[in-house]
Every structure is written in C-alpha cells, then in structure tokens.
Amino acid sequence: MATTLYAHRLSQPSRAAEMLLRELAIEYDFHEIDFAGGETRTDEFDAINPFQTVPALVVEHDGETLHLAESQAIMMTLCRIAEDQHVAQRWYPGEQDIPRSSKIDQWLAWYHNNLRRFDMFHHIMNLHLTLPMLKREIQATLLEPLQEGLRPGLERLEAHFQHQQRSGHAPTLLGDEHPTIADLAMGCELYQIRAAGYRFDGYPQVDAWLEGLARRAHFQHVSEAVDAQGREIRQQSGDYLALDTFG
Ligand SMILES: N[C@@H](CCC(=O)N[C@@H](CS)C(=O)NCC(=O)O)C(=O)O
C-alpha cells in the first residue's frame, strides 16, 4: 500500500505516527512539513490536510486514497489496515478485543484533554531563542502556568503506574508487556519536554515508563532530532530552563 506521512520530527503527534509506521513495518515516504515556518498554512498543504496540522497521512487502501489528519485516527487506521495483524493488534486491537480497545480509547481521550493541553515546548523554544531580558518574563507568564496545569495529569499517571506495579502488572498504560498507541502518544508528548530539560523527579513511575519506551529502537531513531534540539537548549539556556524546580 503506497503510504506518505507528512510530518515533522519536532512534533510529538508526528513522531508517534511515524514510530508506529516503523513498528508495523509499513514502508512509507516521509515528507517533512516545516510547521513552525508556516508550511501547514499554505494552499499546497491545505489540499493534503485542510485541518492544517501535522501529522497527515495519505494511504492507498482497497483501491481508495485515504487522506487523514489527527494522529490518533492515523494510528488506529494504520493498525486496522496493516498487513501484519498479529503485531498491529498489540498496538490497537480494534473490534478484535473491545475491552482492550476501549481502555486505549479512554487513555487517548484523556491524553488529548489533559497532557496535550499543557504542551509547553513552543514556549521553551521561545525562551531559548529570545533576548536574555525577556527570558524571565516568558518563564513566569507562559511556562509556569503550563507546568501548573500539567501537574494533576502527571499525578494521575504516577498513581496509575503505582497501582499497576502493586497489582503485579507491567509498566505500560494497560499493564501488558507490550505498549499500545496510547503509550506512544503520551510517551512522545512527555519525552519532548524531558529532552529539553524537564525532569520527572517527583514522578518516578512516569519516568521509568518513559525510559522503557525510549529504549525501543524506533523510538530512539525517530527521536534523534528532538534529542539534538533538547541538547542545544540545555547547553545554551542555563538556569532559565530549570523547569523542574517550580512549585
Ligand atoms: N490533534 C492533532 C494535533 C496536531 C498538532 O498540534 N500539530 C502541530 C505540530 S505539533 C501543528 O501541525 N501545528 C501547525 C499549525 O497549527 O499550523 C494530532 O494529534 O494530530
């Protein structure tokens, strides 16, 4: 099946979709979209994805060309149409296992309305790039409220993983050895701020879960750009990015 992913590797949902393509061994063309430079707002991209966001997927299936926006829909669709259904159903079993799928749906919905709402990476970039005199202001007015907003979500995740551990389950959202698309979505979100210097010191189980995901070969490879960006930010921004010390 001819497959093209329009994405950028500094975009959390883009990386989740690309990692899944690799995990499912689906061959794809990668088309980088410079969303920070406004490429999602061009007429050319509008014809591919009128939602004007990355990732976007164009895939041939059963003689039809599907144009899809929204990383969660993209990941569910990839699992439905992947040739290797044995592997795909570990990530998202769809109608084959309603109880598991419904839990994955629940975590994905929660993620979008919680962790994702407090995405602070673009402000971290602003902080990194702006004049020294403006750094403290950005940190106090933009970053601190997002960190405050993120905290209840991190607490919920930490409590969930502690419960999984006490019940003898593996450190994934569903408690199985194999992660799901919900682990990928949330993992990519939190990994991005960790790369830029955020430490999950108060959340050891969240940190351990993230470590586990980050050991996967495809996760590592697709995260190289965000690792490099994070290193640059940490080296150049000094104590302005002491993100874990608020509160
Ligand atoms: N709900 C969307 C969010 C996608 C999203 O926020 N993408 C950002 C990059 S991380 C984007 O394309 N922004 C460009 C713009 O808003 O013009 C998904 O999960 O795919």
Side-chain angles (χ1 to χ4, degrees):
M1 59 190 178
T3 306
T4 306
L5 183 71
Y6 296 83
H8 195 286
R9 284 184 171 166
L10 290 185
S11 148
Q12 305 92 325
S14 291
R15 287 199 308 284
E18 190 183 4
M19 285 173 197
L20 185 68
L21 277 162
R22 288 169 175 243
E23 294 278 1
L24 300 178
I26 296 174
E27 280 183 28
Y28 62 98
D29 288 325
F30 183 84
H31 199 111
E32 183 175 280
I33 298 295
D34 175 16
F35 68 95
E39 208 181 337
T40 47
R41 310 291 171 107
T42 59
D43 290 345
E44 290 79 9
F45 190 72
D46 196 70
I48 294 157
N49 175 14
F51 289 31
Q52 301 186 321
T53 50
V54 285
L57 183 81
V58 178
V59 62
E60 307 286 338
H61 178 65
D62 264 355
E64 275 190 51
T65 305
L66 305 177
H67 281 247
L68 272 180
E70 290 295 325
S71 58
Q72 299 183 10
I74 288 172
M75 290 195 285
M76 288 172 182
T77 302
L78 289 173
C79 289
R80 287 190 185 104
I81 66 180
E83 272 174 30
D84 189 342
Q85 278 301 306
H86 180 67
V87 173
Q89 286 185 23
R90 292 183 182 153
W91 290 100
Y92 187 71
E95 287 68 32
Q96 305 304 317
D97 186 341
I98 302 283
R100 274 189 83 231
S101 299
S102 57
K103 283 290 174 196
I104 298 169
D105 296 347
Q106 168 205 279
W107 279 112
L108 285 172
W110 180 81
Y111 154 64
H112 239 162
N113 288 312
N114 289 274
L115 305 185
R116 180 76 186 144
R117 276 179 53 213
F118 304 105
D119 173 21
M120 58 184 91
F121 192 75
H122 50 296
H123 292 320
I124 293 177
M125 286 299 289
N126 276 345
L127 187 69
H128 171 57
L129 297 171
T130 196
L131 297 171
M133 63 179 286
L134 295 177
K135 286 187 193 285
R136 294 261 174 238
E137 196 180 323
I138 289 184
Q139 198 162 21
T141 58
L142 296 171
L143 272 168
E144 286 192 36
L146 288 173
Q147 281 190 269
E148 275 306 314
L150 188 62
R151 189 164 293 136
L154 290 177
E155 282 165 7
R156 173 158 300 281
L157 268 188
E158 181 68 18
H160 176 70
F161 287 128
Q162 278 175 12
H163 181 262
Q164 298 281 52
Q165 193 186 39
R166 281 197 300 274
S167 326
H169 292 120
T172 58
L173 288 167
L174 263 61
D176 303 329
E177 285 300 330
H178 199 281
T180 66
I181 59 173
D183 294 278
L184 269 192
M186 278 192 230
C188 287
E189 187 72 44
L190 296 180
Y191 188 86
Q192 186 140 331
I193 53 173
R194 193 171 81 158
Y198 194 102
R199 291 201 302 270
F200 296 101
D201 285 348
Y203 310 97
Q205 302 286 339
V206 174
D207 205 42
W209 158 79
L210 205 46
E211 265 310 310
L213 279 173
R215 276 196 293 274
R216 299 186 78 83
H218 296 309
F219 197 105
Q220 279 175 19
H221 185 83
V222 176
S223 301
E224 278 170 6
V226 82
D227 286 338
Q229 185 68 68
R231 261 194 308 277
E232 188 185 315
I233 290 174
R234 281 183 279 115
Q235 278 162 8
Q236 293 180 12
S237 292
D239 72 332
Y240 293 111
L241 281 168
L243 294 172
D244 50 334
T245 59
F246 292 151

